[in-house]
Structure formats: C-alpha cells, structure tokens
Amino acid sequence: MQENLYPKQVILEITSHCNLKCKGCAFHGPDAFTSRPKGFMARDTWKAVIDEIASWPAEVNLTTHGGGEPLLHPDLLDILEYAKKNRNIKAGVLTNATLLTEELAKELVARKIDWIAFSVDGVDPAAHALVRPGSKLDIIENNIMQFLQIAEKQGHTVETLINMVQYPEVKGQNEAFVEKWLGKVDVVRLSPYRDPPSSRRWPGTKKPRRACELLWSQAVVAWDGRVGLCCEDMDIDVELGDTRKIPLLSIWNGPDISHIRSLHENGSWKAIPLCATCDTWADGDAQVHEDSKRGLKVVRKVSGTEYAKLNSAE
C-alpha cells in the first residue's frame, strides 16, 4: 500500500472577495482574468478541512488567504482560533491591512497566530493609491505599526513579513521601502510585477526546467471547497476534487494529481497547459547572501528578494 503524502502548506481561501482593486490582481484588478464565482467559505467547509488536517501526523502551515482579503470574512477569528487548538497547525493571514483595526489586531494576537504578512506597495502615498485604488498608505502603515506594538506588548512572537510588488509606479522606491521596514518586521520582500497579471512567468528564470515542488508540498482549497492544482491555478482550471464530498488527503493522494506528478517527474509538464507556461517551479533555487557590513541576510528567488536582519534571520 502506497504511503500517503501530506502537504506542508494548505491554502484555505476563506474568501475571494476583496475591498481593493489592485493593479496586478488576477481577481479584482483592471486586468483581472479569473471567471469563477466569488464567495465566502462556509463554516461546515472550513471546519471539516481543519478537523482533517488536525488528524494528520504532520505539521501543516495553514494560510487563510487566496483571491481575496481574509479580514472580510466574518468567521476569521473563529477559523484561526479553531485551527490553533491543534498542535500540528501553524496558521496566519496575508492582508492588505486596510481593515486591521486596533480591536482586530488585539483579537488576532489573542488567537496566537504564528505569522502575518502585509501587502504594501511603496512609501509614497500618491503612488500607492495609484496601484492600490481606494487605499490610504498612512492608515495602512499606522495599522501595521499598531499591530506590531500590540503583539510586543502582549508578549506574543508573531513572524512578520511585508511585501511590495515592484510596479513601474513604485519600483524606484525599493531601497526606501526596505530601509523603512527592515527591523520593524522580520522579513521585507520585493516581488516582481507580472505584466499582464495572467502571466505565470517570472523574470530571471534561467535554469533547466524540472518538476515543480508545489505538487508535493502545497494543497489549495478554494472558498467553495474545490481543490485546485496549486496557487497558480487561480481559476481552478485543474480541479482535483471537492472537499465537501471527498477528504482533502484522498484528493491530494488521488489519481488525478498522482498522474500530474508522474508527468512532471518524466519531464512532460507541457502536457498540462497550466504548467507549460509557469515558472514557479524555479522558486526553489534560492540564492542566500549574508552582508555582514550591513547586518543583512538576503535571499533571492525568481518570485522575489527577501531582506532580514542577521540577528532575526536565523
């Protein structure tokens, strides 16, 4: 009998709705291309998935985001609290921080979340508003700093990351962005802008193609319970199953994804249209550099460059 594979990460898209229409967003931006319906994950759906993960003999990083803003989901705090009852589940959120009020920050810290990531584009309010219409940079920055202060005051260690997409409008702000946030959060990340947003290509991909590690490490559950191939399967074009009908582990070890894994192992990834035009496989080729003069650890991947203080990067 073949031994089960367990994903290291489960992306639980608790909602695909968002309060912003960012320039590069595949779901809500001006060049959005996804067509699947939008919605909020039902309590029965997220509860069943978390219950199943809790039964696995493996640690799992549960990420409560996808095509939308997780802070919009009315059950967010319940979801995190339910997940964190289980020792094998690490849980966190990726947020644009526009809705991160003082009260919500306190509640998130009280749930003992393991990590939080913020999406902020640049240091100039006018440019930020261009690529993230409807947002106010000063409010977002205040919300983030408030969260960090609350976490520190309550003595809870939360892994923190802030990401900036290098849109043409803000690319000249790279150094200022890193300097602004380095030391305040654990990791500062600069990500290339993929133009158009429908592109799955990353600039700088040079090494020979190989099997994609995501097929063995990441499971993606959309808000309606369906399981997509990976985080790049934004429209669930490769539907592997439905967690409302079949356990997630059965889907993730099922014949459909097993066949796709075999194709990758045999170098036949072009047989899957989604994979044929995707560069995410190359993200495992990380180049790590330690700059002792500046006290920095720099990790370069095709999907972005990460900066961290050496004393916080270990």
Side-chain angles (χ1 to χ4, degrees):
M1 183 176 179
Q2 185 177 354
E3 185 177 352
N4 278 330
L5 295 172
Y6 295 92
K8 296 178 181 178
Q9 178 192 35
V10 173
I11 295 179
L12 194 68
E13 182 191 55
I14 61 175
T15 184
S16 55
H17 287 292
C18 193
N19 60 327
L20 296 181
K21 297 182 182 298
C22 301
K23 177 180 176 179
C25 182
F27 294 86
H28 307 281
D31 296 315
F33 65 91
T34 56
S35 59
R36 62 185 173 98
K38 295 177 175 61
F40 293 90
M41 184 172 280
R43 178 174 289 267
D44 289 348
T45 303
W46 61 255
K47 188 172 182 294
V49 173
I50 293 174
D51 283 341
E52 183 183 348
I53 295 172
S55 72
W56 296 348
E59 184 177 271
V60 174
N61 183 15
L62 184 72
T63 68
T64 53
H65 66 265
E69 169 54 50
L71 270 56
L72 286 172
H73 200 299
D75 292 344
L76 174 63
L77 295 175
D78 290 344
I79 293 169
L80 294 170
E81 183 173 5
Y82 196 73
K84 288 306 299 171
K85 289 180 180 179
N86 306 287
R87 291 187 176 183
N88 71 318
I89 299 179
K90 293 181 65 177
V93 295
L94 167 62
T95 175
N96 59 38
T98 57
L99 305 174
L100 189 58
T101 62
E102 180 180 4
E103 180 181 358
L104 183 53
K106 290 178 179 178
E107 294 291 350
L108 287 171
V109 173
R111 265 56 178 191
K112 304 296 184 184
I113 60 173
D114 297 283
W115 59 269
I116 187 167
F118 307 107
S119 294
V120 180
D121 295 326
V123 297
D124 176 65
H128 189 276
L130 281 177
V131 297
R132 290 180 169 264
S135 67
K136 293 185 181 298
L137 183 59
D138 59 337
I139 293 175
I140 291 169
E141 291 177 341
N142 288 338
N143 288 348
I144 294 172
M145 290 305 301
Q146 181 174 250
F147 175 90
L148 298 174
Q149 291 162 4
I150 289 170
E152 183 178 14
K153 185 177 180 180
Q154 295 193 15
H156 177 54
T157 301
V158 185
E159 296 175 16
T160 54
L161 178 148
I162 192 165
N163 182 76
M164 168 184 149
V165 176
Q166 298 175 84
Y167 295 107
E169 294 87 344
V170 300
K171 195 170 183 179
Q173 302 171 36
N174 288 1
E175 187 172 340
F177 185 80
V178 173
E179 290 299 320
K180 181 180 183 70
W181 291 105
L182 199 62
K184 296 183 177 70
V185 298
D186 296 315
V187 178
V188 180
R189 181 182 174 91
L190 302 177
S191 299
Y193 170 47
R194 296 199 287 192
D195 186 14
S198 58
S199 172
R200 289 184 291 272
R201 296 294 190 189
W202 291 111
T205 304
K206 298 177 182 178
K207 293 191 176 183
R209 180 70 190 259
R210 64 171 184 275
C212 183
E213 296 175 6
L214 291 184
L215 297 175
W216 285 267
S217 65
Q218 182 191 81
V220 178
V221 183
W223 69 269
D224 57 4
R226 293 184 298 148
V227 178
L229 184 60
C230 65
C231 58
E232 295 289 358
D233 189 6
M234 299 176 192
D235 229 2
I236 316 295
D237 292 316
V238 184
E239 185 178 337
L240 300 173
D242 191 327
T243 58
R244 296 168 299 183
K245 303 173 183 177
I246 308 170
L248 176 58
L249 195 62
S250 296
I251 296 170
W252 212 66
N253 286 273
D256 290 346
I257 192 168
S258 296
H259 174 62
I260 293 173
R261 288 182 184 129
S262 295
L263 289 173
H264 270 248
E265 288 176 325
N266 295 327
S268 301
W269 39 75
K270 287 186 178 180
I272 310 115
L274 182 75
C275 302
T277 58
C278 184
D279 287 338
T280 299
W281 61 270
D283 215 32
D285 295 326
Q287 297 178 347
V288 181
H289 170 67
E290 291 190 357
D291 185 338
S292 57
K293 288 185 178 181
R294 299 174 64 193
L296 294 181
K297 178 180 179 179
V298 183
V299 181
R300 300 186 188 279
K301 305 177 183 179
V302 296
S303 65
T305 302
E306 298 177 353
Y307 301 83
K309 291 281 190 182
L310 276 175
N311 60 357
S312 65
E314 303 300 327

